[in-house]
């Protein structure tokens, strides 16, 4: 990663934890629309796939770069997203 993403800050971790899953979900939706996938009920599973992107980024920041604050910020956002997802999913 470039020097732009090498910063140890809770807020920076939270921003990364929000932005990268949104980008991955958008890319997944675009690819699925291009190949003709129309099952809307299956889209909910791709939101969970975006959490995998966060987990990989958390691992990179905590183990490789040793940026604990950034990793903890991403971890907090990931937990909030997962809790919100399960609340929404089980209320349907």
């Amino acid at each position: 990663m470039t020097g732009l993403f090498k910063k140890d800050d809770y807020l920076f971790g939270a921003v990364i934890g929000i932005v990268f899953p949104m980008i991955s979900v958008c890319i997944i939706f675009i690819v699925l629309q291009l190949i003709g996938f129309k099952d809307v009920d299956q889209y909910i599973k791709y939101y969970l796939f975006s959490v995998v992107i966060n987990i990989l980024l958390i691992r990179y920041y905590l183990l490789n770069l040793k940026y604990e604050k950034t990793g903890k910020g991403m971890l907090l956002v990931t937990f909030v997203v997962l809790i919100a997802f399960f609340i929404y999913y089980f209320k349907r």
Side-chain angles (χ1 to χ4, degrees):
M1 293 200 160
T2 64
L4 176 69
F5 292 106
K6 291 188 176 182
K7 186 176 176 184
D8 194 20
D9 186 33
Y10 291 114
L11 183 61
F12 182 67
V15 169
I16 289 176
I18 292 170
V19 170
F20 276 97
M22 288 174 50
I23 292 171
S24 66
V25 166
C26 290
I27 291 171
I28 290 170
F29 282 157
I30 290 170
V31 168
L32 290 177
Q33 291 300 320
L34 289 175
I35 62 172
F37 188 74
K38 302 286 187 216
D39 191 9
V40 178
D41 291 334
Q42 295 296 322
Y43 281 143
I44 212 158
K45 294 177 184 176
Y46 298 111
Y47 287 114
L48 286 179
F49 179 72
S50 69
V51 172
V52 173
I53 302 297
N54 259 9
I55 292 171
L56 295 174
L57 283 172
I58 290 169
R59 186 180 192 299
Y60 177 75
Y61 272 94
L62 289 176
L63 295 180
N64 293 355
L65 295 180
K66 308 279 192 252
Y67 289 165
E68 283 191 25
K69 292 179 183 177
T70 305
K72 287 179 183 180
M74 287 190 293
L75 186 64
L76 175 68
V77 169
T78 303
F79 278 130
V80 169
V81 166
L82 283 173
I83 290 170
F85 170 79
F86 284 113
I87 288 172
Y88 169 75
Y89 185 73
F90 287 116
K91 280 195 170 190
R92 289 187 343 151

